[in-house]
Amino acid sequence: ILFSIHMSNGNISENKNTVMLEGYNRGALSSFIGYKVPLLDKENNPIYLEYKTADNLKNLIAAAAQDGYDISINNGFRDNEEQKELYYHRHKKGIPIAKPGFSNHQRGTAIDIVGCTNNGKATPLYWWLRKNAHKFGFKNTVHLERWHWEYIE
């Protein structure tokens, strides 16, 4: 099984949807196979991730479910246009953000997890992730963004 997720009914499903994505790796254009995970982003679009990221996210979600936490993500792979738009809007407000071509979202290895903050404060889910996500290769790499987690090989 490439990807499974704990849903409210407890079903585990197989997802073999793939697409070739053009992303960036440390500023260099690169192509990779993106795997569609069974989640939708905040605009109801499919979420794609790099294979190892998707596979390890599957295991992270299963472990969280065993401890009573449901994990959902609202952002995975971003194309260059989306990163440019985010950069433009956040940078002009003084909010730190990776330049287009240098975001790990553009490599398919970064995810934004829903529910890590509530009114700016860390939630029990965030503290569970801090304690356990590293076991599955994930790390919170942006201190001020508790929702931003990256798969680190």
Side-chain angles (χ1 to χ4, degrees), residues 28-47:
L29 184 63
S30 65
S31 296
F32 63 94
I33 296 173
Y35 292 84
K36 185 169 121 178
V37 299
L39 300 167
L40 298 174
D41 70 11
K42 55 191 170 242
E43 296 167 355
N44 288 324
N45 296 313
I47 296 174

Side-chain angles (χ1 to χ4, degrees), residues 99-117:
K99 291 181 180 179
F102 292 89
S103 169
N104 285 331
H105 280 284
Q106 292 182 272
R107 295 175 59 202
T109 59
I111 56 175
D112 293 338
I113 298 178
V114 177
C116 289
T117 61

Side-chain angles (χ1 to χ4, degrees), residues 86-95:
L86 285 170
Y87 181 80
Y88 172 77
H89 292 294
R90 290 186 72 179
H91 187 68
K92 77 178 189 178
K93 293 179 182 178
I95 302 169

Side-chain angles (χ1 to χ4, degrees), residues 43-111:
E43 296 167 355
N44 288 324
N45 296 313
I47 296 174
Y48 293 91
L49 296 171
E50 174 273 337
Y51 172 78
K52 288 182 183 178
T53 305
D55 197 44
N56 282 283
L57 178 60
K58 165 196 72 170
N59 297 327
L60 175 67
I61 289 172
Q66 287 182 341
D67 287 344
Y69 295 97
D70 281 325
I71 291 181
S72 62
I73 61 175
N74 67 7
N75 206 318
F77 172 77
R78 287 186 198 140
D79 65 24
N80 204 46
E81 289 306 310
E82 184 179 0
Q83 189 66 25
K84 280 181 185 178
E85 185 176 324
L86 285 170
Y87 181 80
Y88 172 77
H89 292 294
R90 290 186 72 179
H91 187 68
K92 77 178 189 178
K93 293 179 182 178
I95 302 169
I97 186 168
K99 291 181 180 179
F102 292 89
S103 169
N104 285 331
H105 280 284
Q106 292 182 272
R107 295 175 59 202
T109 59
I111 56 175

